[in-house]
Amino acid sequence: MHIEQYEKFFLRLTAVTLVLFFGAIAASALSSQVTLHDPPGRVDPAALSSTPPFDAPGVYERDDGEYEVIMIAQTWSFVPNEVRVPEGSTVHFVMTSRDVTHGFMITGVVANVMLLPGQISHATVRFDRPGEHLIICHEYCGLGHQNMFARIFVERDTRAASSEE
Ligand code: CUA
């Protein structure tokens, strides 16, 4: 097969460019130690009501003073649909979906994950200021999608002054 001289040149240039760019991606990924998340865990979506921790969704204060929220997304609500924590709280959300793919996004902070049936998702958020946030499902999940939300109330912590170390 005959290839024009210029065509050859540009074919080579394309190959070299690709090698350079893939090399740059590989080099930056290795040098900044980019890794995939640890497997966050799996759960049988049909057996949530008998599988800890999802058999008891809710808000729990841990021994270290941080909070854990066990949350289930389902068409078309979050369980629990109200979370109350004091200001300054670090809250660890442990979540999954009971049925279809849902989204989990909290307004006003950086928290944005997908909730997949069978998959456990994590998000950790620190709430520094008192106020109200919405948890919004931002993956289309059916007819009631636009009504699927929950509320987070970050309450002024009266203990803050005394428990400061
Ligand atoms: Cu759940 Cu959209």
Side-chain angles (χ1 to χ4, degrees):
M1 185 175 65
H2 176 72
I3 302 180
E4 290 292 334
Q5 194 186 348
Y6 283 122
E7 201 162 5
K8 247 185 222 163
F9 171 74
F10 279 106
L11 282 173
R12 285 209 189 93
L13 187 65
T14 304
V16 169
T17 311
L18 282 175
V19 169
L20 277 177
F21 283 0
F22 280 120
I25 292 172
S28 58
L30 290 174
S31 67
S32 57
Q33 289 165 345
V34 172
T35 54
L36 291 175
H37 277 292
D38 288 335
R42 298 189 64 81
V43 62
D44 178 2
L48 290 185
S49 52
S50 57
T51 310
F54 298 106
D55 56 343
V59 184
Y60 299 95
E61 184 172 2
R62 306 197 315 197
D63 292 340
D64 61 4
E66 302 190 344
Y67 288 80
E68 189 160 86
V69 175
I70 310 299
M71 185 170 268
I72 296 174
Q74 58 191 27
T75 50
W76 290 283
S77 61
F78 292 97
V79 181
N81 71 351
E82 202 179 288
V83 173
R84 284 179 188 275
V85 290
E87 65 179 300
S89 299
T90 298
V91 183
H92 304 272
F93 292 88
V94 180
M95 306 167 283
T96 190
S97 165
R98 191 190 295 281
D99 35 46
V100 299
T101 299
H102 295 281
F104 175 92
M105 195 195 96
I106 305 177
T107 57
V109 295
V110 180
N112 184 333
V113 296
M114 282 173 82
L115 305 179
L116 308 168
Q119 191 79 39
I120 300 173
S121 299
H122 291 261
T124 297
V125 182
R126 195 183 148 86
F127 295 97
D128 283 319
R129 277 189 292 274
E132 191 183 326
H133 300 264
L134 285 179
I135 298 173
I136 295 169
C137 176
H138 63 319
E139 295 285 342
Y140 182 72
C141 55
L143 282 180
H145 162 70
Q146 74 279 4
N147 299 323
M148 182 167 170
F149 67 94
R151 284 199 166 87
I152 300 174
F153 297 97
V154 182
E155 298 173 324
R156 195 166 290 284
D157 188 3
T158 48
R159 304 169 311 168
S162 55
S163 67
E164 208 82 56
E165 285 174 36

